[in-house]
Amino acid sequence: MTVGAHCTASMFRASLVAALLPCATRVHALSMLQGAAVPPQPGGGTAASLAAAGHGGEDVDCLVVVRTHRPMPGMLERFREHTEDLRRHLPSARLVISVDTSGPDGPAVLEEVRRHAPGAILHSYGWGDVVARYPALAALEFASAWSFHTEPLLLAVEHAGRVLGLAGGARVWALEDDVFFCGGLSAFVSAYEADPSDLLGIGDTPTGHWLHRQAGSAAFLRRYPAEVRLAGPEVVQRFSARLLEQLGRQAEEGVTAWSEMFAATACRAGGFLCAGLRDEHVGVHGDKVTLDRQQAEAACRERLGVPSANHAAKF
């Protein structure tokens, strides 16, 4: 998934999230990178990465992780814009671009992203890497890089923890590459600097009639009966370190599910603080909504002075 200040809050011994930038009518979306993935070390894991925060040469207390696979030209532009935004306005924050390199064009995509955002942190993975780390996924026929995003996010956070010196009390924003921001990503993130929630998103709902309500491991379905399961959009989310640690622990134990359901359910049922983004910060969005460049710019002209996340910019 912070304007002018630090993206701090109570968390754990961790690290992660966000950005800053002045209000503008231009469209923005996200991402940063630098360096390729480093294999996890024995005894590593999300908890270890978070607990190691603050032991590096840099003092990074915010991460924004952008998930991408085959970014379009406008997405690559936004990657560059957000890289510059953080460099200029919030040196303690970094953007991580997590690239799914599955498929024959994976290496070429990785290099293209690197060229467009040379100052960002680059994390790459294939579905085989995810399954190797979380073997329970191999038994789930519905699990794929398209439907299970929590585990790749955990790997991206671990990678950032190895690359950077991460300060304690940080948070992680997770974003899709077709999200764009009116008023700037940093202005949007900074609006939640004082919010103590462990999970922020566009909202969640019961899964009673949801198509994927049974798309979880046997261990997940036993731990979370149907009446407590929730699901929510993943386009823009913010995680606390302690919630990420819990999700990582459960994923390693084989307690996992379709990611729209996994985080929302584990947050609420686990007694964490879960909340929705404020209405004024949620712009155009929807499963079937797509915007081209002109439509996105027009949407932002209608929301001058109000930072908002919008989805989906398919350009």
Side-chain angles (χ1 to χ4, degrees), residues 11-130:
M11 263 178 152
F12 179 67
R13 294 223 202 271
S15 45
L16 338 146
V17 80
L20 333 163
L21 170 61
C23 294
T25 58
R26 292 270 334 259
V27 174
H28 302 239
L30 357 132
S31 197
M32 276 173 100
L33 48 135
Q34 218 172 93
V38 179
Q41 300 301 312
T46 304
S49 295
L50 296 181
H55 293 288
E58 300 181 55
D59 187 20
V60 175
D61 62 7
C62 296
L63 289 182
V64 176
V65 180
V66 183
R67 182 174 67 251
T68 191
H69 181 44
R70 291 190 176 91
M72 303 173 77
M75 298 172 186
L76 293 168
E77 291 176 18
R78 295 192 291 269
F79 293 170
R80 185 191 300 274
E81 290 174 358
H82 290 296
T83 301
E84 287 302 304
D85 171 27
L86 294 178
R87 184 182 66 81
R88 294 175 181 175
H89 302 284
L90 192 60
S92 65
R94 296 294 297 274
L95 192 66
V96 178
I97 303 177
S98 186
V99 185
D100 175 4
T101 55
S102 302
D105 58 346
V109 171
L110 196 62
E111 287 310 307
E112 185 175 31
V113 175
R114 190 191 307 276
R115 287 195 304 272
H116 280 80
I121 298 169
L122 181 62
H123 169 252
S124 62
Y125 68 95
W127 184 243
D129 302 320
V130 180

